[in-house]
Amino acid sequence: MPIAMGAYCLLGFVMLSRRIDFSARPKVAAHYVVDSAISSCFGAVICSSWCVLSWLYAPADDRLQFPIILVMGALATAYCLANVRIGAIANLVIDLLPISLLLVTSGRTLDFAAGCSLLFAGLFQWRMINAHQRHVLDLLQLKKQNRTLALTDPLTGLLNRRALQDFADALGDDREPARLLLIDIDRFKAINDAHGHDMGDEVLVRVAQIIDGFSGNNVSAARLGGEEFALLGSNADLPPATALQLLAAVREADMPHGQQVTISVGIAEGMLNHEDGWQRLYTDADRALYEAKNTGRNRFCHIKEIDEGQPRRRAADLPVPSAAA
């Protein structure tokens, strides 16, 4: 038994000495937690068997030292595993139940009292573990809510600028070309002036809903501030035809103030796997958006058309392609 426990501890030391970036690999972290719980149960079996055998073969006057040593280790282990409730409870049962039953049924008053004490200690630790895990879950939920608030536009529910940049960093890790559509509501100030800021907010929410309908499948929608929005995704998942579909969807949508709303869109592509990739992509899309606004609004403009000196197209008058296009 001592040799088995020594080998178990040595193996655990080797496993814990490995450096693993759990924050970047959540699945590995989940497997690690499960493996740790199972491994701790294996150690508990060794300790419990060792204690039971020692108690059975020790002189009657020396028996109680073994359960006392075991319970201190069992309670400490269960406390360390408090965040993995099933592992902590399994350790308590494996460590305390066999020796407690032996003590309670030994026929000696002192052993009976010690066995009851061990059972009560185990129940108390179990209650503490449940309370601890509830607190941990509450903290994790609060952390998730705070993160959502930090990365979400409170009015529209879309991602904010910071979250979109995080998504851009993730796209850069894939080393695939990305496409950015910058979207601006045409003459939005006039809506606020004529109908008030509350109605303007309702229009923003309605436009955001339409834009969000084009997100998903590795494409994210965001509100960058004011009346400016964005769609960002890989070239394969966000085709240029999306801009024309988006123009038509907003132009034809029923708006809260009962009037038509149009948008202008700037399109750009680029790689995001280098330091200034996002800034360059955003600058190009912003140039294209400025050109679309400057040449009449209610249209899209591609940065390539500007760089190549191609004539501007009134995108709003072109037929809307199918989603497959």
Side-chain angles (χ1 to χ4, degrees), residues 157-208:
L158 298 183
L159 300 181
N160 60 19
R161 183 184 292 268
R162 174 185 171 186
L164 188 69
Q165 189 163 353
D166 290 343
F167 180 65
D169 293 339
L171 285 178
D173 293 339
D174 294 337
R175 298 183 179 276
E176 294 184 3
R179 179 172 285 118
L180 175 63
L181 274 62
L182 283 187
I183 305 150
D184 192 87
I185 300 177
D186 296 331
R187 297 184 174 86
F188 181 72
K189 184 177 182 300
I191 298 176
N192 278 335
D193 292 343
H195 302 279
H197 288 278
D198 288 341
M199 181 59 69
D201 286 347
E202 292 185 30
V203 172
L204 286 173
V205 171
R206 180 70 184 104
V207 173

Side-chain angles (χ1 to χ4, degrees), residues 44 47-48 51 65-75 95-96 99:
C47 290
S48 183
C51 178
Q65 60 181 312
F66 301 108
I68 292 174
I69 295 173
L70 177 66
V71 71
M72 289 190 296
L75 294 178
D95 278 331
L96 300 184
I99 192 64

Side-chain angles (χ1 to χ4, degrees), residues 58-113:
D61 294 337
D62 298 332
R63 285 178 170 179
L64 278 181
Q65 60 181 312
F66 301 108
I68 292 174
I69 295 173
L70 177 66
V71 71
M72 289 190 296
L75 294 178
T77 303
Y79 177 79
C80 293
L81 288 170
N83 291 334
V84 190
R85 184 169 59 175
I86 186 65
I89 294 175
N91 270 265
L92 287 175
V93 171
I94 294 170
D95 278 331
L96 300 184
L97 188 59
I99 192 64
S100 296
L101 292 177
L102 282 175
L103 290 169
V104 169
T105 58
S106 68
R108 300 183 60 184
T109 303
L110 188 58
D111 288 349
F112 179 83

Side-chain angles (χ1 to χ4, degrees), residues 3-84:
I3 293 174
M5 178 55 68
Y8 167 77
C9 292
L10 180 61
L11 177 62
F13 179 79
V14 172
M15 296 294 291
L16 290 173
S17 65
R18 296 184 303 170
R19 297 181 63 85
I20 305 174
D21 185 8
F22 291 131
S23 61
R25 305 172 66 186
K27 289 185 178 180
V28 174
H31 286 302
Y32 189 86
V33 169
V34 174
D35 292 344
S36 298
I38 295 174
S39 174
S40 67
C41 291
F42 180 73
V45 169
I46 297 177
C47 290
S48 183
S49 302
W50 192 358
C51 178
V52 168
L53 292 174
S54 298
W55 186 87
L56 288 173
Y57 289 100
D61 294 337
D62 298 332
R63 285 178 170 179
L64 278 181
Q65 60 181 312
F66 301 108
I68 292 174
I69 295 173
L70 177 66
V71 71
M72 289 190 296
L75 294 178
T77 303
Y79 177 79
C80 293
L81 288 170
N83 291 334
V84 190

Side-chain angles (χ1 to χ4, degrees), residues 78-151:
Y79 177 79
C80 293
L81 288 170
N83 291 334
V84 190
R85 184 169 59 175
I86 186 65
I89 294 175
N91 270 265
L92 287 175
V93 171
I94 294 170
D95 278 331
L96 300 184
L97 188 59
I99 192 64
S100 296
L101 292 177
L102 282 175
L103 290 169
V104 169
T105 58
S106 68
R108 300 183 60 184
T109 303
L110 188 58
D111 288 349
F112 179 83
C116 290
S117 297
L118 295 185
L119 290 174
F120 282 124
L123 289 173
F124 176 76
Q125 186 77 329
W126 175 70
R127 291 291 302 273
M128 292 293 292
I129 290 169
N130 285 337
H132 177 79
Q133 188 169 68
R134 285 197 299 270
H135 293 155
V136 170
L137 292 176
D138 289 342
L139 288 174
L140 290 175
Q141 184 66 28
L142 181 62
K143 182 178 179 181
K144 181 181 179 181
Q145 292 173 355
N146 289 338
R147 179 173 175 80
T148 300
L149 290 174
L151 300 178

Side-chain angles (χ1 to χ4, degrees), residues 208-232:
Q209 291 171 346
I210 297 172
I211 294 173
D212 194 37
F214 291 86
S215 65
N217 191 28
N218 209 30
V219 176
S220 288
R223 182 189 178 200
L224 303 182
E227 65 270 26
E228 186 175 57
F229 299 86
L231 279 171
L232 175 65

Side-chain angles (χ1 to χ4, degrees), residues 302-325:
H302 200 294
I303 188 63
K304 290 182 178 178
E305 296 177 350
I306 300 175
D307 293 339
E308 296 172 2
Q310 296 181 9
R312 310 293 179 256
R313 295 174 297 167
R314 183 173 172 76
D317 296 335
L318 298 176
V320 179
S322 65

Side-chain angles (χ1 to χ4, degrees), residues 207-316:
V207 173
Q209 291 171 346
I210 297 172
I211 294 173
D212 194 37
F214 291 86
S215 65
N217 191 28
N218 209 30
V219 176
S220 288
R223 182 189 178 200
L224 303 182
E227 65 270 26
E228 186 175 57
F229 299 86
L231 279 171
L232 175 65
S234 65
N235 281 6
D237 297 315
L238 186 61
T242 303
L244 192 53
Q245 296 169 357
L246 186 58
L247 283 164
V250 173
R251 187 173 59 246
E252 297 169 5
D254 293 331
M255 290 294 164
H257 65 316
Q259 297 176 4
Q260 186 186 63
V261 169
T262 62
I263 58 173
S264 299
V265 182
I267 309 173
E269 294 87 17
M271 298 297 296
L272 296 172
N273 59 342
H274 44 83
E275 185 176 351
D276 62 341
W278 165 249
Q279 188 58 48
R280 185 182 304 173
L281 179 63
Y282 182 86
T283 300
D284 286 345
D286 193 50
R287 285 174 56 206
L289 175 61
Y290 178 82
E291 184 70 11
K293 302 284 282 189
N294 205 37
T295 53
R297 300 181 175 87
N298 191 22
R299 66 190 64 204
F300 74 86
C301 184
H302 200 294
I303 188 63
K304 290 182 178 178
E305 296 177 350
I306 300 175
D307 293 339
E308 296 172 2
Q310 296 181 9
R312 310 293 179 256
R313 295 174 297 167
R314 183 173 172 76

